[in-house]
Amino acid sequence: MQLRIISREEHGISRKQISRNALRTLYRLHDNGFIAYLVGGCVRDLLLERTPKDFDIATNAAPGQIKRLFRNCRLVGRRFRLAHLHFPDEILEVSTFRASAPPDEEETGEADHHHHPLHLKDGDGMVLRDNVFGTPEEDALRRDFTINALAYNIADFSVIDYSGGLNDLAQRLIRPIGDPFVRFTEDPVRMIRAVRFAASHDLVIEPVAWETLCGLSSTITRASPARLYEELLKLFLLGSAGPVFMLLEASGLLDALFPGLRKRLDGNGDLRKTLQTNLECLDRLSRKGLSPSPALFLAALFGPVLEEEALARHRDGIPHQQALDDSCAIFLEAFCKIVCIPGRISGQLRRILALQPLLHRRPPRRPSSLVIRPDFADAMSYLYMMAKTGSKDKTALEWWNLFLSEAPPKIPAQPPTDGAPAKRRRKRQRRNRPSAQPTV
């Protein structure tokens, strides 16, 4: 692929669109004699006139040199050695240009690990460690997709295209760099990233890459459970959960990531409709700037199934709370083998579902004490979702909306009895009730 350099006059990126911290970092690297580029998704989004979520920087400075230049630097990562620059309002990621390992330096998982090789693959070809430094072009050509291999050069404000990313961006195509089979095998998470970009940016995965992705979808479980959890949050909490779900199902990734859920969807139109409505509610919250919590996402996706299983156990004579706890425990034990959910988040999921019977009780017992519970807002959002799908009675939601919208009652002052000394009234601190949960 021929190198293209697009001058400042030929593209629409302005330094006013770039974070001040990123600009200061780029200039400091450049002023100290290093190459400094903005790279990856931020360049893609700036060209698409979207606001980037973060700004990544690549340079020919080694991690140790970056650390000496910036007092706010922390070196992280073993698989990829990175520098994180900590600012009060953001964390910038600065990486050193990398290259593919030369054949004599590549190792497999069966090799001797005591000397900590710079490049390491397992027996199936998945990259385990990659710290072979290279040139800007080598760095660009080892990235996942052409539209993510564009760079913005602070030296002359040009955009550099090593892989045809500008053409693919104009055609709204997601195309892996090189052989899709090799790219998805090296890092299976790239399949999830392809689905996310297609859904969030209204792009199309190139046909050969899509066919390869569908064929390799079952290998997504080779990625670490902790990394898959982080990727799932990006999939479902950034405003495109509905389109993401359809692409996951069409590609086979849904079956690999959530096998139990996928089996329940077969022939169950009501459950499918419920999940679609729940995911649309998550997307509306995201578009309003009200970031849904990870626990609310899990409740939206798995709550209806867990409540159904808990109800079946309750009908067999098990107390409702115990039935719910058992259902959640069985689900989490199986799911965490694929996706590692932190204990704090799984506890929040349990509490969101445990609050539902209390919210449906009419009238609720001590509603003010329920309002101050930490998971009340998420429980209300889930109540709204289920009422919107028609799965639950709407009267409970209406009661709570009315209760939350009412002003606290005023306590009338009582004058002292004639001839009796006035009793000193104890000042009561009035607890402010939270406003109604925003409509999703």
mmCIF file of all heavy atoms in Angstrom, residues 268-278 300 303-305 307-308 311 356 360 382-395:
data_model
loop_
_atom_site.group_PDB
_atom_site.id
_atom_site.type_symbol
_atom_site.label_atom_id
_atom_site.label_comp_id
_atom_site.label_asym_id
_atom_site.label_seq_id
_atom_site.Cartn_x
_atom_site.Cartn_y
_atom_site.Cartn_z
ATOM 1 N N ASN A 268 -38.330 -17.944 21.585
ATOM 2 C CA ASN A 268 -38.940 -17.174 22.671
ATOM 3 C C ASN A 268 -39.022 -15.710 22.246
ATOM 4 O O ASN A 268 -38.153 -14.886 22.561
ATOM 5 C CB ASN A 268 -38.107 -17.318 23.955
ATOM 6 C CG ASN A 268 -38.839 -16.776 25.177
ATOM 7 O OD1 ASN A 268 -39.724 -15.935 25.065
ATOM 8 N ND2 ASN A 268 -38.470 -17.266 26.345
ATOM 9 N N GLY A 269 -40.091 -15.398 21.517
ATOM 10 C CA GLY A 269 -40.261 -14.037 21.000
ATOM 11 C C GLY A 269 -40.431 -13.009 22.098
ATOM 12 O O GLY A 269 -39.987 -11.859 21.960
ATOM 13 N N ASP A 270 -41.108 -13.384 23.196
ATOM 14 C CA ASP A 270 -41.326 -12.425 24.284
ATOM 15 C C ASP A 270 -40.012 -12.008 24.937
ATOM 16 O O ASP A 270 -39.791 -10.825 25.219
ATOM 17 C CB ASP A 270 -42.249 -13.038 25.343
ATOM 18 C CG ASP A 270 -43.677 -13.188 24.846
ATOM 19 O OD1 ASP A 270 -44.037 -12.490 23.874
ATOM 20 O OD2 ASP A 270 -44.432 -14.010 25.413
ATOM 21 N N LEU A 271 -39.122 -12.980 25.170
ATOM 22 C CA LEU A 271 -37.831 -12.652 25.772
ATOM 23 C C LEU A 271 -37.015 -11.778 24.832
ATOM 24 O O LEU A 271 -36.376 -10.808 25.267
ATOM 25 C CB LEU A 271 -37.062 -13.931 26.098
ATOM 26 C CG LEU A 271 -35.656 -13.736 26.685
ATOM 27 C CD1 LEU A 271 -35.709 -12.935 27.976
ATOM 28 C CD2 LEU A 271 -34.966 -15.080 26.911
ATOM 29 N N ARG A 272 -37.025 -12.091 23.557
ATOM 30 C CA ARG A 272 -36.277 -11.289 22.582
ATOM 31 C C ARG A 272 -36.783 -9.847 22.575
ATOM 32 O O ARG A 272 -35.992 -8.889 22.574
ATOM 33 C CB ARG A 272 -36.406 -11.901 21.188
ATOM 34 C CG ARG A 272 -35.590 -11.190 20.125
ATOM 35 C CD ARG A 272 -35.764 -11.903 18.785
ATOM 36 N NE ARG A 272 -35.224 -13.249 18.832
ATOM 37 C CZ ARG A 272 -33.931 -13.521 18.646
ATOM 38 N NH1 ARG A 272 -33.084 -12.548 18.409
ATOM 39 N NH2 ARG A 272 -33.512 -14.771 18.675
ATOM 40 N N LYS A 273 -38.096 -9.675 22.601
ATOM 41 C CA LYS A 273 -38.678 -8.328 22.609
ATOM 42 C C LYS A 273 -38.299 -7.582 23.891
ATOM 43 O O LYS A 273 -37.990 -6.388 23.871
ATOM 44 C CB LYS A 273 -40.198 -8.424 22.488
ATOM 45 C CG LYS A 273 -40.907 -7.082 22.476
ATOM 46 C CD LYS A 273 -42.418 -7.252 22.379
ATOM 47 C CE LYS A 273 -43.118 -5.905 22.458
ATOM 48 N NZ LYS A 273 -44.607 -6.063 22.403
ATOM 49 N N THR A 274 -38.321 -8.303 25.018
ATOM 50 C CA THR A 274 -37.957 -7.683 26.292
ATOM 51 C C THR A 274 -36.514 -7.198 26.273
ATOM 52 O O THR A 274 -36.219 -6.071 26.684
ATOM 53 C CB THR A 274 -38.154 -8.681 27.449
ATOM 54 O OG1 THR A 274 -39.546 -8.997 27.554
ATOM 55 C CG2 THR A 274 -37.668 -8.099 28.767
ATOM 56 N N LEU A 275 -35.592 -8.045 25.790
ATOM 57 C CA LEU A 275 -34.187 -7.660 25.753
ATOM 58 C C LEU A 275 -33.955 -6.489 24.804
ATOM 59 O O LEU A 275 -33.167 -5.584 25.112
ATOM 60 C CB LEU A 275 -33.321 -8.847 25.342
ATOM 61 C CG LEU A 275 -33.298 -10.045 26.296
ATOM 62 C CD1 LEU A 275 -32.244 -11.052 25.862
ATOM 63 C CD2 LEU A 275 -33.025 -9.605 27.730
ATOM 64 N N GLN A 276 -34.616 -6.491 23.666
ATOM 65 C CA GLN A 276 -34.465 -5.379 22.728
ATOM 66 C C GLN A 276 -34.918 -4.063 23.363
ATOM 67 O O GLN A 276 -34.256 -3.030 23.226
ATOM 68 C CB GLN A 276 -35.254 -5.655 21.451
ATOM 69 C CG GLN A 276 -34.637 -6.745 20.572
ATOM 70 C CD GLN A 276 -35.526 -7.126 19.403
ATOM 71 O OE1 GLN A 276 -36.727 -6.815 19.375
ATOM 72 N NE2 GLN A 276 -34.944 -7.817 18.433
ATOM 73 N N THR A 277 -36.047 -4.097 24.070
ATOM 74 C CA THR A 277 -36.540 -2.889 24.738
ATOM 75 C C THR A 277 -35.584 -2.438 25.827
ATOM 76 O O THR A 277 -35.299 -1.241 25.976
ATOM 77 C CB THR A 277 -37.934 -3.143 25.340
ATOM 78 O OG1 THR A 277 -38.830 -3.540 24.299
ATOM 79 C CG2 THR A 277 -38.478 -1.882 26.003
ATOM 80 N N ASN A 278 -35.070 -3.382 26.613
ATOM 81 C CA ASN A 278 -34.121 -3.040 27.677
ATOM 82 C C ASN A 278 -32.859 -2.389 27.121
ATOM 83 O O ASN A 278 -32.357 -1.403 27.674
ATOM 84 C CB ASN A 278 -33.747 -4.293 28.479
ATOM 85 C CG ASN A 278 -34.879 -4.782 29.352
ATOM 86 O OD1 ASN A 278 -35.933 -4.166 29.433
ATOM 87 N ND2 ASN A 278 -34.671 -5.903 30.009
ATOM 88 N N ALA A 300 -30.317 -5.589 32.754
ATOM 89 C CA ALA A 300 -31.098 -5.441 31.523
ATOM 90 C C ALA A 300 -30.991 -6.679 30.648
ATOM 91 O O ALA A 300 -31.967 -7.113 30.031
ATOM 92 C CB ALA A 300 -30.614 -4.202 30.759
ATOM 93 N N GLY A 303 -31.468 -10.025 33.744
ATOM 94 C CA GLY A 303 -32.466 -9.943 34.805
ATOM 95 C C GLY A 303 -33.748 -10.702 34.528
ATOM 96 O O GLY A 303 -34.229 -11.457 35.394
ATOM 97 N N PRO A 304 -34.359 -10.552 33.330
ATOM 98 C CA PRO A 304 -35.606 -11.280 33.063
ATOM 99 C C PRO A 304 -35.462 -12.799 33.217
ATOM 100 O O PRO A 304 -36.339 -13.461 33.778
ATOM 101 C CB PRO A 304 -35.929 -10.892 31.613
ATOM 102 C CG PRO A 304 -35.296 -9.548 31.439
ATOM 103 C CD PRO A 304 -34.035 -9.607 32.243
ATOM 104 N N VAL A 305 -34.336 -13.359 32.750
ATOM 105 C CA VAL A 305 -34.113 -14.807 32.867
ATOM 106 C C VAL A 305 -33.907 -15.194 34.331
ATOM 107 O O VAL A 305 -34.455 -16.200 34.814
ATOM 108 C CB VAL A 305 -32.906 -15.232 32.014
ATOM 109 C CG1 VAL A 305 -32.542 -16.685 32.285
ATOM 110 C CG2 VAL A 305 -33.204 -15.030 30.533
ATOM 111 N N GLU A 307 -34.950 -13.635 37.039
ATOM 112 C CA GLU A 307 -36.214 -13.514 37.782
ATOM 113 C C GLU A 307 -37.138 -14.691 37.477
ATOM 114 O O GLU A 307 -37.823 -15.197 38.375
ATOM 115 C CB GLU A 307 -36.902 -12.192 37.428
ATOM 116 C CG GLU A 307 -36.229 -10.965 38.034
ATOM 117 C CD GLU A 307 -37.038 -9.713 37.822
ATOM 118 O OE1 GLU A 307 -37.365 -9.412 36.656
ATOM 119 O OE2 GLU A 307 -37.352 -9.029 38.817
ATOM 120 N N GLU A 308 -37.141 -15.127 36.230
ATOM 121 C CA GLU A 308 -37.977 -16.273 35.854
ATOM 122 C C GLU A 308 -37.509 -17.541 36.562
ATOM 123 O O GLU A 308 -38.325 -18.325 37.071
ATOM 124 C CB GLU A 308 -37.929 -16.446 34.343
ATOM 125 C CG GLU A 308 -38.811 -17.558 33.805
ATOM 126 C CD GLU A 308 -38.710 -17.698 32.291
ATOM 127 O OE1 GLU A 308 -38.506 -16.667 31.618
ATOM 128 O OE2 GLU A 308 -38.813 -18.835 31.802
ATOM 129 N N LEU A 311 -38.409 -17.345 40.257
ATOM 130 C CA LEU A 311 -39.836 -17.582 40.473
ATOM 131 C C LEU A 311 -40.149 -19.075 40.427
ATOM 132 O O LEU A 311 -40.950 -19.584 41.235
ATOM 133 C CB LEU A 311 -40.643 -16.829 39.420
ATOM 134 C CG LEU A 311 -42.166 -16.920 39.534
ATOM 135 C CD1 LEU A 311 -42.649 -16.381 40.886
ATOM 136 C CD2 LEU A 311 -42.844 -16.166 38.390
ATOM 137 N N GLN A 356 -36.839 -5.444 43.517
ATOM 138 C CA GLN A 356 -38.043 -5.398 42.678
ATOM 139 C C GLN A 356 -39.318 -5.785 43.440
ATOM 140 O O GLN A 356 -40.334 -5.075 43.343
ATOM 141 C CB GLN A 356 -37.865 -6.274 41.432
ATOM 142 C CG GLN A 356 -36.736 -5.813 40.515
ATOM 143 C CD GLN A 356 -36.829 -4.343 40.135
ATOM 144 O OE1 GLN A 356 -37.851 -3.885 39.610
ATOM 145 N NE2 GLN A 356 -35.765 -3.599 40.404
ATOM 146 N N HIS A 360 -42.619 -3.302 44.060
ATOM 147 C CA HIS A 360 -43.951 -3.655 43.550
ATOM 148 C C HIS A 360 -44.989 -3.760 44.655
ATOM 149 O O HIS A 360 -46.189 -3.825 44.351
ATOM 150 C CB HIS A 360 -43.870 -4.982 42.773
ATOM 151 C CG HIS A 360 -43.369 -4.820 41.374
ATOM 152 N ND1 HIS A 360 -44.166 -4.413 40.335
ATOM 153 C CD2 HIS A 360 -42.124 -4.987 40.860
ATOM 154 C CE1 HIS A 360 -43.455 -4.351 39.231
ATOM 155 N NE2 HIS A 360 -42.206 -4.698 39.510
ATOM 156 N N TYR A 382 -34.465 -0.285 36.220
ATOM 157 C CA TYR A 382 -34.867 -1.636 35.808
ATOM 158 C C TYR A 382 -36.387 -1.779 35.893
ATOM 159 O O TYR A 382 -37.000 -2.395 35.010
ATOM 160 C CB TYR A 382 -34.175 -2.673 36.689
ATOM 161 C CG TYR A 382 -34.493 -4.101 36.295
ATOM 162 C CD1 TYR A 382 -33.945 -4.652 35.143
ATOM 163 C CD2 TYR A 382 -35.342 -4.895 37.064
ATOM 164 C CE1 TYR A 382 -34.228 -5.960 34.769
ATOM 165 C CE2 TYR A 382 -35.631 -6.198 36.696
ATOM 166 C CZ TYR A 382 -35.073 -6.726 35.555
ATOM 167 O OH TYR A 382 -35.362 -8.010 35.182
ATOM 168 N N LEU A 383 -36.988 -1.199 36.928
ATOM 169 C CA LEU A 383 -38.454 -1.226 37.043
ATOM 170 C C LEU A 383 -39.090 -0.550 35.830
ATOM 171 O O LEU A 383 -40.083 -1.033 35.277
ATOM 172 C CB LEU A 383 -38.879 -0.516 38.333
ATOM 173 C CG LEU A 383 -40.386 -0.401 38.593
ATOM 174 C CD1 LEU A 383 -41.000 -1.773 38.853
ATOM 175 C CD2 LEU A 383 -40.660 0.530 39.772
ATOM 176 N N TYR A 384 -38.501 0.573 35.412
ATOM 177 C CA TYR A 384 -39.019 1.282 34.237
ATOM 178 C C TYR A 384 -38.913 0.401 32.988
ATOM 179 O O TYR A 384 -39.857 0.315 32.187
ATOM 180 C CB TYR A 384 -38.240 2.580 34.025
ATOM 181 C CG TYR A 384 -38.613 3.300 32.756
ATOM 182 C CD1 TYR A 384 -39.674 4.200 32.725
ATOM 183 C CD2 TYR A 384 -37.928 3.067 31.564
ATOM 184 C CE1 TYR A 384 -40.027 4.840 31.559
ATOM 185 C CE2 TYR A 384 -38.279 3.693 30.392
ATOM 186 C CZ TYR A 384 -39.325 4.595 30.392
ATOM 187 O OH TYR A 384 -39.683 5.225 29.228
ATOM 188 N N MET A 385 -37.745 -0.247 32.804
ATOM 189 C CA MET A 385 -37.562 -1.108 31.628
ATOM 190 C C MET A 385 -38.623 -2.192 31.563
ATOM 191 O O MET A 385 -39.257 -2.420 30.521
ATOM 192 C CB MET A 385 -36.180 -1.768 31.670
ATOM 193 C CG MET A 385 -35.007 -0.849 31.482
ATOM 194 S SD MET A 385 -33.457 -1.795 31.644
ATOM 195 C CE MET A 385 -32.251 -0.476 31.510
ATOM 196 N N MET A 386 -38.823 -2.870 32.696
ATOM 197 C CA MET A 386 -39.749 -3.999 32.696
ATOM 198 C C MET A 386 -41.194 -3.546 32.538
ATOM 199 O O MET A 386 -42.021 -4.252 31.957
ATOM 200 C CB MET A 386 -39.564 -4.813 33.980
ATOM 201 C CG MET A 386 -38.149 -5.370 34.147
ATOM 202 S SD MET A 386 -37.565 -6.276 32.688
ATOM 203 C CE MET A 386 -38.609 -7.720 32.750
ATOM 204 N N ALA A 387 -41.513 -2.349 33.054
ATOM 205 C CA ALA A 387 -42.856 -1.818 32.846
ATOM 206 C C ALA A 387 -43.067 -1.451 31.380
ATOM 207 O O ALA A 387 -44.149 -1.644 30.822
ATOM 208 C CB ALA A 387 -43.074 -0.595 33.741
ATOM 209 N N LYS A 388 -42.018 -0.938 30.752
ATOM 210 C CA LYS A 388 -42.123 -0.535 29.351
ATOM 211 C C LYS A 388 -42.311 -1.739 28.438
ATOM 212 O O LYS A 388 -42.993 -1.651 27.412
ATOM 213 C CB LYS A 388 -40.869 0.247 28.953
ATOM 214 C CG LYS A 388 -40.957 0.905 27.589
ATOM 215 C CD LYS A 388 -39.787 1.839 27.357
ATOM 216 C CE LYS A 388 -39.866 2.487 25.974
ATOM 217 N NZ LYS A 388 -41.066 3.333 25.797
ATOM 218 N N THR A 389 -41.726 -2.864 28.798
ATOM 219 C CA THR A 389 -41.892 -4.065 27.983
ATOM 220 C C THR A 389 -43.250 -4.725 28.189
ATOM 221 O O THR A 389 -43.629 -5.617 27.442
ATOM 222 C CB THR A 389 -40.800 -5.106 28.309
ATOM 223 O OG1 THR A 389 -40.945 -5.526 29.668
ATOM 224 C CG2 THR A 389 -39.421 -4.531 28.077
ATOM 225 N N GLY A 390 -43.955 -4.317 29.225
ATOM 226 C CA GLY A 390 -45.221 -4.951 29.563
ATOM 227 C C GLY A 390 -45.061 -6.191 30.406
ATOM 228 O O GLY A 390 -46.040 -6.878 30.720
ATOM 229 N N SER A 391 -43.804 -6.498 30.822
ATOM 230 C CA SER A 391 -43.562 -7.692 31.635
ATOM 231 C C SER A 391 -44.051 -7.507 33.066
ATOM 232 O O SER A 391 -44.308 -8.485 33.765
ATOM 233 C CB SER A 391 -42.071 -8.028 31.643
ATOM 234 O OG SER A 391 -41.599 -8.216 30.331
ATOM 235 N N LYS A 392 -44.118 -6.268 33.520
ATOM 236 C CA LYS A 392 -44.539 -5.982 34.888
ATOM 237 C C LYS A 392 -45.647 -4.946 34.886
ATOM 238 O O LYS A 392 -45.773 -4.133 33.962
ATOM 239 C CB LYS A 392 -43.347 -5.456 35.707
ATOM 240 C CG LYS A 392 -42.191 -6.452 35.855
ATOM 241 C CD LYS A 392 -42.535 -7.571 36.800
ATOM 242 C CE LYS A 392 -41.384 -8.575 36.928
ATOM 243 N NZ LYS A 392 -40.206 -8.012 37.600
ATOM 244 N N ASP A 393 -46.425 -4.950 35.968
ATOM 245 C CA ASP A 393 -47.522 -4.001 36.131
ATOM 246 C C ASP A 393 -46.961 -2.579 36.240
ATOM 247 O O ASP A 393 -46.004 -2.329 36.979
ATOM 248 C CB ASP A 393 -48.300 -4.370 37.412
ATOM 249 C CG ASP A 393 -49.568 -3.538 37.560
ATOM 250 O OD1 ASP A 393 -49.826 -2.695 36.683
ATOM 251 O OD2 ASP A 393 -50.285 -3.751 38.550
ATOM 252 N N LYS A 394 -47.553 -1.629 35.505
ATOM 253 C CA LYS A 394 -47.049 -0.254 35.499
ATOM 254 C C LYS A 394 -47.477 0.538 36.723
ATOM 255 O O LYS A 394 -46.954 1.629 36.952
ATOM 256 C CB LYS A 394 -47.534 0.472 34.236
ATOM 257 C CG LYS A 394 -46.933 -0.054 32.952
ATOM 258 C CD LYS A 394 -47.400 0.767 31.771
ATOM 259 C CE LYS A 394 -46.776 0.238 30.468
ATOM 260 N NZ LYS A 394 -47.199 1.031 29.291
ATOM 261 N N THR A 395 -48.431 0.016 37.492
ATOM 262 C CA THR A 395 -48.934 0.816 38.623
ATOM 263 C C THR A 395 -47.859 1.067 39.661
ATOM 264 O O THR A 395 -47.843 2.123 40.300
ATOM 265 C CB THR A 395 -50.130 0.116 39.282
ATOM 266 O OG1 THR A 395 -49.759 -1.224 39.650
ATOM 267 C CG2 THR A 395 -51.311 0.067 38.332
#
